[in-house]
Amino acid sequence: YVPCKYKKKLDKDNKYQDNVILMDMPKEILNASMKEIYTDDKNRLETIKWLTTFIKKYEVGEKCKGLYLTGNFGCGKTYLVAAAFNELAKKGTRVAAIYYPEFLRELKENFDDFSYNFNRVKKADLLLLDDIGAETVTNWNRDEILGTILQYRMQEGLTTFFTSNLTINELEDHLRGNDSEGKLKSRRIIERIKYLTDNIVMIAENRRKWGENNGRKKFYR
């Protein structure tokens, strides 16, 4: 058997997926595209414009900050960032999109693969830590995992994105945990995030809920 022209085109179109690392993310994220995002909600336009500009700057090698994107459930935060990542993966950029709470759990439970999984996330050209703030905070995951990732990416100039339902201030409170030094350590984390990112609050229609009510469970574009 030999591939037909349609199979060759499909393989070519999907070649960029070799540059994409997904951990516990919906499969639809792998095919997220800037051409397919919804633009009918004006509350999303600031984010879409920011990402469009980011893609253009990154493609020409301009040093760019990432984005801390916060907003309500189901407004499409993750899909929008993933769409931008896929556009750049098609140009050879190595990207990683990680569902952060599950990533922490897997690091803890699969210690034999710890170094491999931790390092490929830490060193990706572009990194998305999705749903940060939804995890249970421990000294280990705050200081040894998140703190180490952010410090490395600051030193190496690697662009980092975050999505969250928490604002920056709410995330700082969340990261304090229960230890006596939590306030100081949380502040250090937040300062690193601020250094790495611009901040956008996106409060838009929850179409995930709309989709479920209509018998559809699509990720909100």
Side-chain angles (χ1 to χ4, degrees), residues 54-94:
F54 170 80
I55 292 169
K56 293 177 180 178
K57 290 181 177 179
Y58 196 92
E59 283 179 334
V60 298
E62 185 173 333
K63 190 173 180 62
C64 301
K65 277 191 170 187
L67 180 66
Y68 184 90
L69 180 59
T70 182
N72 57 293
F73 294 100
C75 66
K77 300 183 295 295
T78 304
Y79 189 97
L80 288 176
V81 175
F85 274 29
N86 288 342
E87 294 298 322
L88 292 167
K90 293 173 183 178
K91 305 293 178 64
T93 302
R94 295 181 304 112

Side-chain angles (χ1 to χ4, degrees), residues 88-107:
L88 292 167
K90 293 173 183 178
K91 305 293 178 64
T93 302
R94 295 181 304 112
V95 306
I98 310 302
Y99 180 62
Y100 185 62
E102 186 64 16
F103 171 63
L104 294 175
R105 188 189 68 80
E106 291 189 3
L107 284 180

Side-chain angles (χ1 to χ4, degrees), residues 93-166:
T93 302
R94 295 181 304 112
V95 306
I98 310 302
Y99 180 62
Y100 185 62
E102 186 64 16
F103 171 63
L104 294 175
R105 188 189 68 80
E106 291 189 3
L107 284 180
K108 190 173 183 179
E109 293 186 357
N110 299 297
F111 198 75
D112 290 343
D113 297 324
F114 178 93
S115 294
Y116 172 74
N117 289 328
F118 183 66
N119 284 319
R120 70 176 183 150
V121 168
K122 182 178 75 172
K123 297 179 179 181
D125 296 335
L126 290 177
L127 172 62
L128 166 63
L129 296 181
D130 181 52
D131 211 8
I132 189 170
E135 77 286 358
T136 299
V137 176
T138 67
N139 293 357
W140 173 76
N141 64 40
R142 180 193 61 205
D143 306 332
E144 303 300 324
I145 303 302
L146 182 58
T148 301
I149 288 173
L150 299 185
Q151 184 64 29
Y152 178 86
R153 298 186 70 79
M154 283 177 57
Q155 292 173 347
E156 299 298 320
L158 297 173
T159 306
T160 311
F161 285 67
F162 305 83
T163 61
S164 182
N165 296 121
L166 303 180

